Amino acid sequence: MPFVWYHNQILQFYRAIGLLVVYSFLLKLLLARSISVIKLGHILLCAGVFLVWSSVFFYGQTVNIITLQFIFIMVLGSFFLISRRFGVFYSVLAIFPIAIFILTKGRIEVFNQTEGALVSPAYEIIVILNFITIIVIHDLFNNAFTKNVEEKINLNIQFENALVKANEAANSKTDFLSTMSHELRTPLNSVIGMTDLLLSNPINEEQAETLKALKFSSTSLHSLINDILDFNKIGSDKLMLEAVKVNLNRLIKDICSGLNFQAKEKGIQLNFKVDERLHPIYVITDPTRLSQIIYNLVGNAIKFTSKGSVQINLEVINHSEEKIKVKFSVIDTGLGIKEEDQERIFEVFKQASLSTTRNYGGTGLGLAIVKKLVEMLGSKIQLTSEIGIGSDFYFEVSFDISNDLQVINEDDINEVFDLEQLKVLVAEDNAMNRLLLKKVFSKWNSELVFVENGLEAIEKASTDDFDVILMDLHMPLVDGYEATKSIRELQDVKKANVHIIALTASVSNNMEEKIIQSGMNGFMYKPFNANDMYATLKGLIKVNPNKSSKDS
Ligand code: ADP
């Protein structure tokens, strides 16, 4: 103002006063918080655009260094005051007249002084001030940017540390569960096994009743431990699905024969209907997990039904040469579930009502496991149910069909094998477990040879021929893994290739992998289920039919 006043540039003087008034007014509005920075930004930028356009086309009809700096400041201001989108918008508006000017007038005379333009040193002061503003804006931006990056790096470090700690905690939880399960399962194995043996020949009615109660409690405890372990495994994504050949008709028959007793005890019918198209084929899936799903659903259906029936249906939805889609349904005529509870019961530890635990027991883990397992099979569990009428749990799974043709003989399913001819070596250090195995196998007319540690197992396997070795994993002197490795290295090919099944009570994460790597053919968890053991050994005889007493 003083310079233009001194040089008698009246128009510039009024312009300066006008700008001062406008800026003071806007500053006042801003300080009184009656306007937001963004609104103020828009007002200033609109005014800026107006100034640039008027100065280039009307007032100065020129582009000099002040115009260029002014545009720079507008570009920076629009990006940092408002947003990226408006930054682009105002920048284009501000730069547009310059582009037109260059196209029509040729070139920019950066230091030209047209008539009526600012006089020295006002011109130089404004140029210097504008430069300082541009530097300050860049400094502010750079500062904020580096601070942001530093903060991000620090947060990442904190995040990584937290992740390491969380993983450590999760691992120690899994290790703890694995150790606990081993410690719990080993004595439980004996309790359940011995109860079964006593139950097969009770002294009197009263003892039979007591034994039944004992059996009920111990198997409940067993399934609770299994459920918790399974849930832990699924939750930490440690569960891998197997892919083996399965005949669904046979699988359902086996499951039903396992649950028939329970249904009969409650006086209800357990029926199953498997689509005929499934009878002759094998599909590729994980039989253990599929059975677990159906066991859980049918177990619940029997538990919550007091009269009527439980029906398992397997229906083919579509069928091609390589794939088959099957709908599994478990339908009961039991209690039914209220509509508002139908989603909740699939959550962990949730039951339909508080009285459920009181009347029927259970933990509310079963359906949570079923839900996750069905998801792992690529499907979703669904439910329709009506109070007092019954429930229908169903899901659809698409399976690959095994092209490895194998004739299925329906009679095979119920065929009974005697295990008399099977020579079995048992490596087990726990005396109770040895006694239990002895008693169970005596029912199948099979005599066992026992050793108590891995070293003895290697010696015995190198001198005698066995069909199967049941190998405990944790044993003194030499453990089950090492013993298996040594047996696999024996000179005699037949002895080296003996079928070895691990018997284990622990469920650590990489145990299944370690078992296979050490050269064992499979594994069974303790407490082992006598039916599963029988089925596995029966399978071995089938692979090697001259071992069957029927054939020999
Ligand atoms: P649990 O059976 O151990 O209680 P689940 O997760 O298997 O746990 O089931 C959760 C709840 O869902 C049960 O407590 C019961 O209230 C309800 N439920 C499950 N299946 C049925 C069924 N077939 N009929 C009626 N209610 C059922």
Side-chain angles (χ1 to χ4, degrees):
M1 276 167 72
F3 291 118
V4 288
W5 176 253
Y6 180 74
H7 287 280
N8 213 13
Q9 286 191 310
I10 302 300
L11 205 58
Q12 289 284 24
F13 182 72
Y14 289 143
R15 210 179 170 208
I17 288 182
L19 277 175
L20 189 69
V21 172
V22 170
Y23 279 104
S24 313
F25 177 68
L26 289 175
L27 196 64
K28 174 106 182 77
L29 284 182
L30 190 64
L31 292 178
R33 292 183 191 273
S34 56
I35 190 168
S36 73
V37 176
I38 292 188
K39 267 192 199 146
L40 182 71
H42 280 297
I43 295 173
L44 288 178
L45 285 160
C46 285
V49 168
F50 175 75
L51 280 180
V52 172
W53 280 68
S54 66
S55 150
V56 173
F57 293 124
F58 308 108
Y59 180 72
Q61 304 225 346
T62 180
V63 174
N64 58 27
I65 191 163
I66 296 183
T67 329
L68 291 184
Q69 287 180 326
F70 191 68
I71 291 169
F72 274 135
I73 292 169
M74 279 180 64
V75 170
L76 295 173
S78 58
F79 273 97
F80 295 118
L81 270 183
I82 307 177
S83 69
R84 210 173 127 216
R85 204 153 48 92
F86 276 107
V88 174
F89 174 71
Y90 282 115
S91 302
V92 170
L93 275 186
I95 294 166
F96 187 69
I98 309 296
I100 302 282
F101 184 84
I102 294 171
L103 284 176
T104 53
K105 301 261 161 84
R107 61 199 205 103
I108 301 168
E109 301 267 349
V110 172
F111 293 105
N112 64 350
Q113 289 274 4
T114 47
E115 212 178 305
L118 280 173
V119 287
S120 187
Y123 187 82
E124 287 76 9
I125 289 174
I126 288 188
V127 168
I128 290 167
L129 278 179
N130 279 355
F131 271 128
I132 291 172
T133 313
I134 292 171
I135 292 167
V136 168
I137 291 176
H138 275 98
D139 180 59
L140 285 175
F141 170 71
N142 200 280
N143 210 359
F145 185 75
T146 3
K147 239 189 182 161
N148 232 332
V149 173
E150 263 169 29
E151 255 171 36
K152 201 177 136 205
I153 292 172
N154 280 340
L155 281 176
N156 268 345
I157 293 172
Q158 280 176 24
F159 173 69
E160 271 162 25
N161 287 343
L163 208 63
V164 169
K165 277 193 191 143
N167 279 340
E168 276 169 9
N171 283 342
S172 60
K173 186 184 88 181
T174 318
D175 288 348
F176 170 75
L177 275 169
S178 152
T179 319
M180 280 297 289
S181 78
H182 184 261
E183 298 305 316
L184 290 171
R185 278 163 182 250
T186 307
L188 201 56
N189 185 20
S190 309
V191 174
I192 294 177
M194 296 296 173
T195 314
D196 272 339
L197 285 172
L198 287 172
L199 255 174
S200 64
N201 192 14
I203 298 172
N204 52 38
E205 267 301 302
E206 198 190 331
Q207 197 196 46
E209 281 303 304
T210 319
L211 285 170
K212 273 184 200 159
L214 178 59
K215 174 77 193 285
F216 178 78
S217 305
S218 51
T219 41
S220 305
L221 180 57
H222 180 216
S223 65
L224 174 62
I225 294 173
N226 284 349
D227 276 358
I228 291 177
L229 288 169
D230 264 348
F231 195 77
N232 181 53
K233 244 180 164 183
I234 300 171
S236 52
D237 291 333
K238 300 245 165 70
L239 195 86
M240 301 292 282
L241 287 186
E242 257 190 307
V244 294
K245 271 175 17 185
V246 181
N247 177 256
L248 291 175
N249 189 32
R250 177 171 301 183
L251 185 94
I252 298 296
K253 276 192 177 178
D254 284 346
I255 294 175
C256 284
S257 62
L259 287 163
N260 223 346
F261 178 71
Q262 247 174 288
K264 265 195 188 143
E265 262 194 336
K266 285 198 75 180
I268 52 177
Q269 290 253 328
L270 176 61
N271 305 318
F272 65 91
K273 190 167 156 233
V274 178
D275 197 312
E276 298 234 321
R277 283 171 284 176
L278 285 166
H279 289 207
I281 54 171
Y282 278 92
V283 297
I284 306 290
T285 188
D286 185 328
T288 320
R289 298 302 167 186
L290 190 58
S291 308
Q292 193 177 1
I293 295 169
I294 297 167
Y295 260 111
N296 257 305
L297 293 178
V298 179
N300 274 347
I302 296 174
K303 187 158 93 173
F304 296 107
T305 302
S306 51
K307 62 173 191 286
S309 66
V310 171
Q311 172 83 30
I312 309 170
N313 285 343
L314 265 67
E315 188 190 330
V316 173
I317 303 285
N318 50 48
H319 186 186
S320 71
E321 243 169 56
E322 288 108 36
K323 288 205 176 274
I324 190 159
K325 191 170 188 181
V326 183
K327 179 179 177 187
F328 294 77
S329 344
V330 177
I331 305 160
D332 66 56
T333 56
L335 283 182
I337 304 154
K338 278 194 232 142
E339 201 167 345
E340 62 260 36
D341 293 331
Q342 289 182 7
E343 223 167 276
R344 208 166 54 91
I345 55 168
F346 291 100
E347 289 168 22
V348 191
F349 300 121
K350 290 280 162 38
Q351 298 185 313
S353 73
L354 287 176
S355 59
T356 308
T357 322
R358 233 181 7 253
N359 297 332
Y360 299 95
T363 55
L365 262 178
L367 286 181
I369 294 174
V370 166
K371 184 177 170 211
K372 293 215 169 186
L373 288 176
V374 171
E375 278 167 11
M376 286 181 79
L377 291 177
S379 180
K380 187 170 186 276
I381 181 93
Q382 315 221 43
L383 160 68
T384 52
S385 182
E386 218 175 303
I387 285 285
I389 307 255
S391 312
D392 177 1
F393 287 85
Y394 59 94
F395 58 95
E396 293 173 5
V397 183
S398 189
F399 299 102
D400 286 336
I401 297 175
S402 164
N403 43 21
D404 184 2
L405 283 173
Q406 192 164 341
V407 180
I408 295 160
N409 179 0
E410 280 290 311
D411 298 338
D412 254 17
I413 300 173
N414 301 318
E415 207 170 2
V416 176
F417 285 87
D418 199 338
L419 303 181
E420 196 183 346
Q421 302 294 310
L422 212 60
K423 242 183 127 187
V424 185
L425 173 68
V426 178
E428 169 65 80
D429 63 326
N430 184 305
M432 291 303 282
N433 284 343
R434 285 202 301 273
L435 180 63
L436 179 65
L437 278 160
K438 192 172 168 189
K439 297 215 170 197
V440 170
F441 272 72
S442 69
K443 285 203 297 190
W444 303 325
N445 293 331
S446 174
E447 274 204 24
L448 303 174
V449 177
F450 286 104
V451 287
E452 295 179 20
N453 60 56
L455 207 58
E456 286 179 15
I458 302 168
E459 275 169 23
K460 206 75 193 152
S462 60
T463 52
D464 283 349
D465 282 333
F466 290 98
D467 299 308
V468 186
I469 300 180
L470 299 179
M471 183 78 81
D472 184 22
L473 292 181
H474 302 284
M475 286 185 292
L477 301 178
V478 173
D479 67 17
Y481 301 111
E482 288 305 316
T484 305
K485 278 185 195 153
S486 304
I487 292 170
R488 293 291 182 234
E489 282 163 12
L490 290 176
Q491 293 288 324
D492 185 330
V493 183
K494 193 169 173 227
K495 291 185 170 72
N497 287 328
V498 58
H499 197 91
I500 303 179
I501 300 173
L503 267 186
T504 174
S506 68
V507 276
S508 58
N509 299 332
N510 53 358
M511 187 201 68
E512 296 174 15
E513 217 178 294
K514 258 174 90 184
I515 287 176
I516 301 302
Q517 270 171 9
S518 69
M520 287 183 240
N521 303 82
F523 63 93
M524 291 190 89
Y525 286 121
K526 290 192 245 179
F528 69 87
N529 177 306
N531 287 340
D532 289 347
M533 177 67 85
Y534 184 78
T536 308
L537 298 179
K538 189 172 95 171
L540 277 182
I541 294 176
K542 283 189 164 195
V543 174
N544 193 2
N546 51 356
K547 284 288 158 204
S548 149
S549 58
K550 200 176 148 203
D551 294 347
S552 60

